């Protein structure tokens, strides 16, 4: 069943109210969309300003703790393979710092969640930095609480060297040769 409404049959007062309601609805919707866009841009600006201020505080904090600033906004490209094909990955870290003969990537975080290692994005970022920059370690700098955390990842063989099969084979051959020489000497 199809119902048709003849707008000409409506009283002029009702038609004016309907048009005013439609115009008001369009105005409210337009204002809501504009406000949402403004608020997103404002939030991004606030976060960017907060991050920049945090990086400035972090640099002073790192220096106060005895680190040498080796670089700011340090970029690196490292390669991975996907199905055998090489893929270049570009990264940029907040700081590359030194402590004696060791080098570290220092990543500055602000806010409530980002400076925490149990935040997945932060943890993955630090792990990627640890591998890509080939440094001795990574530092998580909580700029707002002015704390620096040394983060260590268990990286397997590169972290705790284990003898390779070749080393075991050579050790076994050396022990066997020594035993054979000792047996000849005794006999």
């Amino acid at each position: 069943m199809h119902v048709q409404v003849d707008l000409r049959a409506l009283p002029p007062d009702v038609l004016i109210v309907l048009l005013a309601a439609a115009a008001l609805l369009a105005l409210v919707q337009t204002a809501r969309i504009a406000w949402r866009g403004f608020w997103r841009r404002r939030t991004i600006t606030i976060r960017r300003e907060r991050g920049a201020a945090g990086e400035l505080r972090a640099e002073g904090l790192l220096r106060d703790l005895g680190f040498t600033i080796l670089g700011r906004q340090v970029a690196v490209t490292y390669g991975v393979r996907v199905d055998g094909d090489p893929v270049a990955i570009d990264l940029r870290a907040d700081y590359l710092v030194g402590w004696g003969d060791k080098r570290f990537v220092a990543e500055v975080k602000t806010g409530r969640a980002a400076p925490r290692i149990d935040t997945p994005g932060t943890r993955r970022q630090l792990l990627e930095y640890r591998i890509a920059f080939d440094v001795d370690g990574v530092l998580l700098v909580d700029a707002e609480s002015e704390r620096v955390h040394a983060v260590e990842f268990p990286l397997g063989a590169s972290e705790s060297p284990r003898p390779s099969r070749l080393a075991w084979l050579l050790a076994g051959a050396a022990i066997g040769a020594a035993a054979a020489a000792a047996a000849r000497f005794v006999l």
Side-chain angles (χ1 to χ4, degrees):
M1 179 169 142
H2 184 68
V3 177
Q4 284 188 333
V5 176
D6 185 7
L7 294 178
R8 291 175 290 185
L10 291 175
D13 294 346
V14 172
L15 192 55
I16 290 172
V17 168
L18 288 175
L19 288 173
L24 181 63
L25 180 64
L27 182 64
V28 167
Q29 183 66 2
T30 301
R32 186 184 72 79
I33 290 169
W35 176 256
R36 186 171 35 171
F38 165 78
W39 192 250
R40 276 191 193 139
R41 287 187 303 277
R42 179 72 182 135
T43 301
I44 289 169
T45 300
I46 289 170
R47 285 183 183 160
R48 193 173 293 138
E49 290 170 356
R50 187 180 194 181
E55 284 186 26
L56 287 176
R57 281 194 312 273
E59 183 171 342
L61 177 62
L62 289 164
R63 286 185 195 279
D64 290 347
L65 291 172
F67 289 96
T68 303
I69 306 298
L70 303 174
R72 294 169 197 82
Q73 294 300 313
V74 180
V76 68
T77 300
Y78 76 103
V80 298
R81 291 192 174 279
V82 178
D83 296 330
D85 297 328
V87 177
I89 307 293
D90 296 324
L91 288 178
R92 182 177 306 276
D94 293 330
Y95 292 99
L96 183 64
V97 299
W99 177 274
D101 63 342
K102 297 199 182 284
R103 294 179 331 129
F104 299 87
V105 168
E107 179 62 22
V108 181
K109 295 294 185 184
T110 56
R112 287 181 299 135
R116 296 175 37 170
I117 196 63
D118 59 348
T119 301
T122 298
R123 185 177 56 252
R124 291 180 188 124
Q125 182 182 22
L126 293 177
L127 179 58
E128 184 176 30
Y129 284 173
R130 171 67 174 88
I131 294 167
F133 282 87
D134 192 26
V135 291
D136 297 299
V138 290
L139 305 172
L140 176 57
V141 181
D142 183 343
E144 292 175 352
S145 71
E146 296 188 349
R147 297 188 60 182
V148 177
H149 305 280
V151 180
E152 297 176 24
F153 292 101
L155 297 179
S158 64
E159 202 56 33
S160 57
R162 294 184 341 209
S164 67
R165 290 183 179 157
L166 179 59
W168 283 112
L169 178 66
L170 292 175
I175 291 171
R184 273 194 232 161
F185 182 72
V186 171
L187 297 176

